[in-house]
Amino acid sequence: MDFIQKIVDLGPTVVLPVIIFLFGLVLKMKPGRAFRAGLTVGIGFIGVNLIIGLLVDNLGPAAKDMVERLGIDLSIIDVGWPATSAIAFGSTVGALAIPIGLIVNFILLIVGLTKTLNIDLWNLWHIAFTGALVSIMTDSFAMGIVTASVHAIVLLVLADMSQKHVEKFYGYPNISFPHGTSTPYILFAWPLEKLFNMIPGFKNLKADPESIQKRLGILGESTVLGLILGLIIGILAGWNAKEVLNLGVSTAAVMLLLPRMVSILMEGLAPVSESASEFVKSKFPGREVFIGMDSALAVGHPAAIASSLIMVPIVLLLAIIVPGNKVLPFGDLATIPFIVSMMVPIFRGNVIRTVVASTIALGFGLLLATYISPLFTQAAKNVGFSFPEGTNSISSLVDGAVPTTAIFLFGAKLGYIGLMIIALIALATAYYINKRPNKTNES
């Protein structure tokens, strides 16, 4: 347990390069090439985190001032994903999350019920999160372990189902996203995409970054769009001219720099992906394997960033008008790109569709985050979490508002039967998409 915790404490920027290096050696890459690939991936992740940190540092104060101007007085504080992941990994279930994720993944790969080899081990905190909540709710450690195991299955299935969208839209061959925050939102995006295609007028509305740029010229360029959205957020926050301009330029910088940091990440992953494809072809003729990665690879797309910036004031408005909500969005406002990143390819980059779908999803998500707050707060107390001053109840949008959190909490109310039903549905879906290759990932 101590060894696993020490690995977790290193963080993804250290753990992932090591995993990439070892994975490369298993794939018979030359040690030098594998080392360079792992190091490049680590550098890319540091770059991505730096740019997201820039967004957090600027959007956080703006969101706080918007909250004060709007007079929002809500009793549950959104503490953000860093605190959420620490609480999840610090739980009794969290200590076993990485072994559980590895075992489940290897079993499904061996029997052919997944094509995803998830090397993004650090993000297994997502299965630890649901496991911890269910364990507290049911007062059963075993129920928490089962929940984490079934959650691992569900994420692999969703990753397989959405891989073709990832490849076609983002241009990432043989890469999937078994990410606990991003991928479950395809459960909203798919039915809404079919609904949007039935609405006269709306179905023909093109609002991807390329179409926006064609219509608006320079005003539609990603950096200029980031500038405009940043200026609007600064004005809504009631900032002075200097602060508004600084926020505008900072968001413009994010729009330009984040995709470039992601490209460095992909530079490191490309040779590993090629080697994995060759290895599988030689060892398992007729089979393909996807490398499961962090959805940080997707958040740099202009459509994802633009949609996320638009959603910041919308989420704050939702917090006021959604009946029954008690969560004050704050810590995760700057990580909304992770929430929208897997909806974007389903909507083919359409910013308007993404914003509408995100509004619906997070409207329900705020209620879910409110509902789980007592469990979340207890989990935080169990690990000795230091609460913000004057705060008694906490929650988060990541993963408190995620569809899978609702699925497992309400499923666990039926006991083991409920969790087994979820597992059977997931495994049946896995069997269908992996045994009928011509139908795989079509949606």
Side-chain angles (χ1 to χ4, degrees), residues 53-62 223 226-235 237 239-255 257 309:
L54 174 65
L55 190 63
V56 171
D57 292 343
N58 286 274
L59 270 187
T223 50
L227 172 68
I228 294 171
L229 291 172
L231 294 176
I232 292 172
I233 292 172
I235 292 170
W239 286 3
N240 61 40
K242 178 183 176 181
E243 293 169 329
V244 169
L245 291 172
N246 280 329
L247 179 59
V249 174
S250 295
T251 51
V254 169
M255 296 288 276
L257 296 175
L309 291 174

Side-chain angles (χ1 to χ4, degrees), residues 304-337:
I305 305 173
S307 301
S308 303
L309 291 174
I310 293 171
M311 283 304 300
V312 170
I314 291 177
V315 170
L316 290 172
L317 179 61
L318 288 172
I320 301 172
I321 65 175
V322 171
N325 173 59
K326 295 181 181 178
V327 174
L328 174 61
F330 180 66
D332 279 326
L333 285 175
T335 51
I336 291 178

